[in-house]
Amino acid sequence: MKLPPDSIVAPEKLSGYLLIFRADDDKSRFLALAGYTLADASRLERDMREQLLPLEAEPIDLTPHGQKYLIRGPLRGPNGRSLRVVSIWMTLRGTGTTKFVTLYPDRK
């Protein structure tokens, strides 16, 4: 199935989590390999919408808050390098709204 193209990507997920260095579970250095930076967090959002959301979403977990989905695929960054990523999304039970949860390197 495909997730809605207008799924919510909270800015704080990008600029306050993915694109800043974290001592525990850092993703910023991985994303920097493809040229993603905190200074241009909107580029990461745009690329996720254009490159990941059109891919097939696999239902993975039904939680009390809603259905979680996994989208696995390549993410080509501003420098042209492509990263294999897994992104997690959730369709909220109460509203039916789909939102971005997290992204990490695809180890498969």
Side-chain angles (χ1 to χ4, degrees):
M1 81 173 283
K2 309 273 186 190
L3 297 180
D6 63 347
S7 295
I8 296 169
V9 178
E12 55 273 7
K13 283 282 190 174
L14 306 179
S15 60
Y17 174 62
L18 290 178
L19 294 172
I20 60 165
F21 176 77
R22 298 168 52 93
D24 183 41
D25 196 27
D26 179 58
K27 295 171 178 80
S28 65
R29 287 185 289 192
F30 171 68
L31 290 167
L33 295 172
Y36 292 109
T37 66
L38 184 58
D40 192 10
S42 62
R43 174 66 188 261
L44 177 56
E45 178 183 355
R46 184 174 68 243
D47 288 352
M48 288 169 48
R49 288 186 185 286
E50 293 175 0
Q51 299 174 42
L52 297 177
L53 274 176
L55 301 175
E56 287 295 316
E58 170 190 342
I60 55 168
D61 192 21
L62 182 60
T63 74
H65 302 290
Q67 177 67 54
K68 284 187 178 179
Y69 296 92
L70 177 147
I71 298 177
R72 172 179 276 122
L75 183 64
R76 181 176 301 276
N79 68 8
R81 182 168 179 189
S82 189
L83 303 173
R84 298 283 309 161
V85 301
V86 172
S87 60
I88 306 296
W89 304 77
M90 178 184 281
T91 300
L92 300 175
R93 183 179 302 251
T95 63
T97 303
T98 300
K99 68 176 188 170
F100 170 73
V101 176
T102 193
L103 177 143
Y104 52 87
D106 187 353
R107 303 280 185 216
K108 274 192 170 181

